[in-house]
Amino acid sequence: MAFPARRIPLAAPTAALTAAVLAGTLGSAAPASSAEQARPAASGRGSVHSIVLPDSDRAVRELSARRTAPFSMVGLTWTDARAQLGGTAQVRVRDRASGGWSAWRDLDSDVRTPETGRDSTAAGVRAGTQPLWTGPADGVQARVRGASGKASALPDGLRIELVAPTATATAAEARTATAATVTAEAKTVTPAPQPAILPRSAWGADETLVKDPATYSKETKVVFVHHTAGTNTYACEESASVVNGIFLYHVQSQGWNDIGYQFLVDKCGTVYEGRAGGIDKPVIGAQTYGFNTDTTGVAVLGNYNDATSTPEVRASLAAVAAWKLGLYGYDPTSTVVMTAAASNGKYTAGQQVAMNRISGHRDGFPTECPGNNLYADLPTIRTLAVQ
């Protein structure tokens, strides 16, 4: 299915911005300073450029409009990995081709750092919003506001993260690449067929950035469905770069060991391998705070509060879930009792919770993810998984 490539809709430049451009203050990328850091990947596969937000006001932090190094994804992080933002964050960006500035866009902040493993304990781990795919851009403006009536709501160390991803394969090349394959010994229970899953090399994973080996559960009991929020305007030809950008954001901006999701699916239904460790193994991810053990996370690229899922998305989600659960003999339409490993605002540590084998992120954590429209599709996805 073909989808037209679209960028974030552009707003007319304000008089102040026009004057700034004419004066030359936005005419070139700002030089690096103590407040700005660039972190290229060792292999040259992408980079992250960070800009520290001024902290003169505890309730409001703003970054003035400025030219930057080129990027295609933006997010916001802060120092305390356990802190919530406690407010709202918005950005707008300068289109690299036209020079026009986009409308203000919200950054989704209902995410948490995982409760186990290096992603939680390593020095420098940061909390953050979901990253937003912008398409090619070379300028940014940001505003972050604390919740009404909370003068000290915003956390310390707020930092805008500008991600310039690369991918080693175009979408067309990726779709003809050799799919990742099962390497485990034969199971005693015959699972559903493995769907086509493009390997990490298809989206240009820089394996030198992954410092520690994968960790494992005993099995996969539940498949959590996510959306990455942000925008639905990416073209499917950009999907590999979007996945690469999420990887760089999780690893270089938030300090995680690897991308959080075990699998990712674009709106054309293409499935990508996420976290390393073996697609058929019960790899522990960083995707549902409180329930990362014995689960797998599959994230659909896009915002499914805004968009509705395609038949290709639903079919791919069903295929991945049926295969992963089938490896352990589980019926995708059944339920299971899970135990919360951490208190997360929805459940307390040790609480037992009955869950569907195919659940939404919101079933385990207080969030809108995977969006109202995709969440409403879960009964259909469960049915598809047993057909």
Side-chain angles (χ1 to χ4, degrees), residues 6 27 56 83 91 167 174 200 210 224 257 285 315 332:
R6 303 194 306 276
S56 56
V91 295
R200 288 164 62 88
V210 181
F224 282 111
N257 189 53

Side-chain angles (χ1 to χ4, degrees), residues 41-43 205-211 247:
S43 66
D206 183 352
E207 304 298 359
T208 67
L209 296 177
V210 181
K211 302 305 182 184
F247 166 78

Side-chain angles (χ1 to χ4, degrees), residues 365-384:
F365 182 77
T367 174
E368 291 186 352
C369 181
N372 291 334
N373 295 325
L374 186 53
Y375 189 77
D377 289 334
L378 292 185
T380 298
I381 292 167
R382 294 183 195 113
T383 299
L384 288 172

Side-chain angles (χ1 to χ4, degrees), residues 159-242:
R159 202 168 73 186
I160 287 291
E161 311 284 354
L162 306 178
V163 183
T166 59
T168 58
T170 65
E173 292 168 338
R175 286 179 174 83
T176 60
T178 301
T181 57
V182 172
T183 57
E185 296 179 359
K187 309 292 182 179
T188 56
V189 176
T190 302
Q194 179 199 328
I197 300 171
L198 297 181
R200 288 164 62 88
S201 59
W203 52 264
D206 183 352
E207 304 298 359
T208 67
L209 296 177
V210 181
K211 302 305 182 184
D212 294 332
T215 55
Y216 298 90
S217 304
K218 292 183 178 180
E219 56 184 339
T220 299
K221 297 179 179 178
V222 170
V223 172
F224 282 111
V225 175
H226 302 257
H227 71 172
T228 60
T231 180
N232 300 90
T233 60
Y234 68 91
C236 289
E237 287 71 22
E238 297 175 301
S239 297
S241 290
V242 176

Side-chain angles (χ1 to χ4, degrees), residues 80-372:
D80 186 348
R82 299 298 177 191
Q84 294 184 334
L85 181 61
T88 60
Q90 294 182 311
V91 295
R92 63 178 190 153
V93 302
R94 182 183 186 274
D95 184 273
R96 199 186 312 170
S98 70
W101 286 80
S102 73
W104 286 101
R105 294 293 305 273
D106 294 329
L107 294 177
D108 189 334
S109 62
D110 62 351
V111 291
R112 289 277 190 92
T113 298
E115 74 276 4
T116 57
R118 182 187 184 280
D119 304 302
S120 176
T121 60
V125 172
R126 298 171 64 83
T129 66
Q130 292 277 23
L132 171 69
W133 180 258
T134 63
D138 62 2
V140 68
Q141 184 177 6
R143 58 190 185 193
V144 187
R145 291 181 169 82
S148 177
K150 297 183 179 179
S152 300
L154 296 176
D156 293 330
L158 289 174
R159 202 168 73 186
I160 287 291
E161 311 284 354
L162 306 178
V163 183
T166 59
T168 58
T170 65
E173 292 168 338
R175 286 179 174 83
T176 60
T178 301
T181 57
V182 172
T183 57
E185 296 179 359
K187 309 292 182 179
T188 56
V189 176
T190 302
Q194 179 199 328
I197 300 171
L198 297 181
R200 288 164 62 88
S201 59
W203 52 264
D206 183 352
E207 304 298 359
T208 67
L209 296 177
V210 181
K211 302 305 182 184
D212 294 332
T215 55
Y216 298 90
S217 304
K218 292 183 178 180
E219 56 184 339
T220 299
K221 297 179 179 178
V222 170
V223 172
F224 282 111
V225 175
H226 302 257
H227 71 172
T228 60
T231 180
N232 300 90
T233 60
Y234 68 91
C236 289
E237 287 71 22
E238 297 175 301
S239 297
S241 290
V242 176
V243 175
N244 182 277
I246 295 171
F247 166 78
L248 290 173
Y249 183 78
H250 284 175
V251 174
Q252 292 197 288
S253 296
Q254 294 195 264
W256 295 5
N257 189 53
D258 199 349
I259 191 169
Y261 310 111
Q262 286 93 335
F263 302 95
L264 300 98
V265 179
D266 73 11
K267 61 189 177 184
C268 290
T270 302
V271 182
Y272 293 89
E273 177 184 10
R275 178 160 289 213
I279 59 172
D280 61 320
K281 305 291 199 306
V283 176
I284 295 176
Q287 40 90 21
T288 301
Y289 182 76
F291 296 95
N292 281 319
T293 300
D294 292 335
T295 67
T296 284
V298 186
V300 182
L301 305 182
N303 187 326
Y304 288 88
N305 272 327
D306 297 336
T308 56
S309 68
T310 63
E312 291 83 358
V313 164
R314 296 190 292 273
S316 291
L317 289 172
V320 171
W323 171 64
K324 285 295 288 187
L325 294 170
L327 289 171
Y328 303 94
Y330 295 130
D331 180 349
T333 63
S334 65
T335 60
V336 61
V337 175
M338 301 292 288
T339 302
S343 298
N344 64 10
K346 186 178 182 75
Y347 302 111
T348 57
Q351 184 175 351
Q352 292 190 315
V353 184
M355 290 185 173
N356 289 298
R357 295 284 184 184
I358 302 176
S359 287
H361 187 189
R362 66 175 63 178
D363 292 320
F365 182 77
T367 174
E368 291 186 352
C369 181
N372 291 334

